[in-house]
Amino acid sequence: MNLPARVQIVDVGPRDGLQNEKQPIAADVKVELVDRLTDAGFAAIEVTSFVSPKWVLQMADGTEVMARIRRKPGVVYSVLVPNMKGFEGALAARADEIVIFGAASEAFSQRNINCSIAESIERFRPVCDAARAAGIAIRGAISCALGCPYQGEVEPPAVAYVARLMKELGTQHVGVADTIGVGTPHKVQAALEAVLGVYELPKVSGHFHDTYGMGVANTYAALELGIASFDTSVAGLGGCPYAKGATGNVATEDVLYLLRGLDIDTGIDLDKVVATGQWISGVLGRRAFARAGNAIAAKAAAT
Ligand code: HMG
Ligand code: MG
């Protein structure tokens, strides 16, 4: 079996994680979270989003957060954008990369944003043109690639279809996102293989939410295909313990523990990530959703 020798982890906790938090979080905390992740050795961090504050108030301070983070040369600081207004924010904030998103489920697209998948992707065309002109990298997220809250099953050809639309827009890298965390390893492999018919291996990443506890298993399934890039979230940030159906990303700590056990290099200091996960969970007033992170922290506290 040819597992990759090196893997890139994008910590998306500051964006995909914190965007779900109902309690207001100070910009100071967001900045410290990103700085701690930089210090832990991540080569890419998804910092914030430039979306409508009417939709996601928690990310309304994206400009301030981007201005105050301590940037390490070579690290990619990315932001999620939904439209041209968001792109202008990203450009002014000197984002290294933008993230655009589209769903693989027609039902989700219709119910959520009242338009077809093709129309929703088409709205990103001016954004992608502007990003290319400005020399900003573009990453795409294919949401609901493993299942949809409205239509249930999502078949691999539907995932390949979105990948083709994204490639046509000029998106350089795509993430196969299990938004509601329902995927299991063979289904994850089928979805990834569909995308690998469109994008080359180094241009495809896995973005798994851990709702059903499959995040680490799905990561391993992707590794078996040679996938070497994953979005994860420190402390499993995302979703709320008090909300039904909480759906955080798979915890960075858990994925790093898996990779360390497989002798796969990431360049990231697991102990620093564990400390960061424990710190941010304390700030949010709860226990981290990171099995390996909590175990490592408990062991350290006992010695
Ligand atoms: P809309 O309400 O239809 O848009 O939302 P609108 O054009 O009518 O604008 C409404 C108001 O928002 C206006 O303000 C705009 O100026 C403002 P008003 O005139 O009423 O005062 N506005 C903005 N403000 C700041 N930044 C902007 C922006 N755009 C409009 N960029 C819209 C349409 C797309 C804007 C909205 O639906 C939106 O912002 N959606 C984003 C929601 C979001 O962030 N979702 C989570 C990210 S996706 C995700 O997490 C999945 C992923 O992790 C992968 C996975 O796991 O699947 C990526
Ligand atoms: Mg997500």
Side-chain angles (χ1 to χ4, degrees):
M1 208 189 315
N2 274 333
L3 299 182
R6 190 177 169 86
V7 155
Q8 165 155 299
I9 300 289
V10 181
D11 199 292
V12 297
R15 196 282 301 172
D16 204 357
L18 296 187
Q19 74 178 6
N20 290 299
E21 291 294 331
K22 297 288 171 268
Q23 54 179 312
I25 301 167
D28 283 355
V29 170
K30 295 169 179 168
V31 170
E32 181 170 349
L33 177 61
V34 174
D35 287 349
R36 281 177 176 253
L37 294 171
T38 297
D39 185 48
F42 289 87
I45 301 167
E46 201 167 303
V47 176
T48 186
S49 59
F50 287 90
V51 300
S52 169
K54 294 195 171 136
W55 288 68
V56 186
L57 183 60
Q58 187 67 262
M59 296 284 107
D61 57 4
T63 297
E64 180 185 355
V65 173
M66 283 294 281
R68 290 179 50 202
I69 55 171
R70 203 171 15 82
R71 295 190 190 214
K72 186 159 114 189
V75 174
V76 172
Y77 296 95
S78 60
V79 303
L80 181 128
V81 301
N83 55 17
M84 272 313 283
K85 184 160 183 172
F87 174 74
E88 281 150 21
L91 184 66
R94 296 188 302 111
D96 299 302
E97 181 184 67
I98 57 161
V99 181
I100 63 166
F101 50 100
S105 153
E106 206 59 73
F108 188 83
S109 192
Q110 290 293 349
R111 292 279 283 274
N112 219 30
I113 45 179
N114 199 26
C115 68
S116 70
I117 293 170
E119 283 164 346
S120 77
I121 298 283
E122 196 53 39
R123 288 180 190 170
F124 282 111
R125 189 174 296 283
V127 173
C128 291
D129 289 347
R132 267 200 310 279
I136 298 177
I138 311 165
R139 194 152 50 87
I142 306 177
S143 296
C144 295
L146 274 306
C148 163
Y150 305 114
Q151 77 180 44
E153 293 287 322
V154 172
E155 298 300 331
V159 184
Y161 169 67
V162 183
R164 280 196 300 276
L165 293 175
M166 286 202 167
K167 188 161 193 193
E168 204 259 310
L169 277 185
T171 304
Q172 292 128 355
H173 185 112
V174 283
V176 172
D178 186 6
T179 312
I180 55 171
V182 290
T184 44
H186 289 173
K187 287 187 175 169
V188 164
Q189 289 181 335
L192 286 165
E193 273 164 349
V195 173
L196 290 171
V198 182
Y199 276 89
E200 293 165 25
L201 192 54
K203 306 289 182 196
V204 180
S205 58
H207 177 117
F208 305 128
H209 285 246
D210 207 20
T211 319
Y212 288 80
M214 293 292 109
V216 169
N218 290 340
T219 302
Y220 190 80
L223 289 169
E224 284 189 323
L225 296 185
I227 299 292
S229 177
F230 295 92
D231 298 345
T232 64
S233 186
V234 62
L237 290 178
C240 169
Y242 311 108
K244 216 169 130 196
T247 59
N249 290 83
V250 62
T252 306
E253 296 92 316
D254 295 354
V255 170
L256 288 176
Y257 182 79
L258 170 77
L259 296 172
R260 190 174 72 177
L262 294 170
D263 283 329
I264 296 174
D265 184 26
T266 60
I268 298 163
D269 183 331
L270 174 55
D271 289 333
K272 285 188 176 174
V273 180
V274 169
T276 302
Q278 299 294 305
W279 164 76
I280 189 68
S281 300
V283 171
L284 297 174
R286 61 164 184 255
R287 197 167 145 79
F289 295 116
R291 304 277 277 273
N294 290 342
I296 292 167
K299 194 174 170 196
T303 53

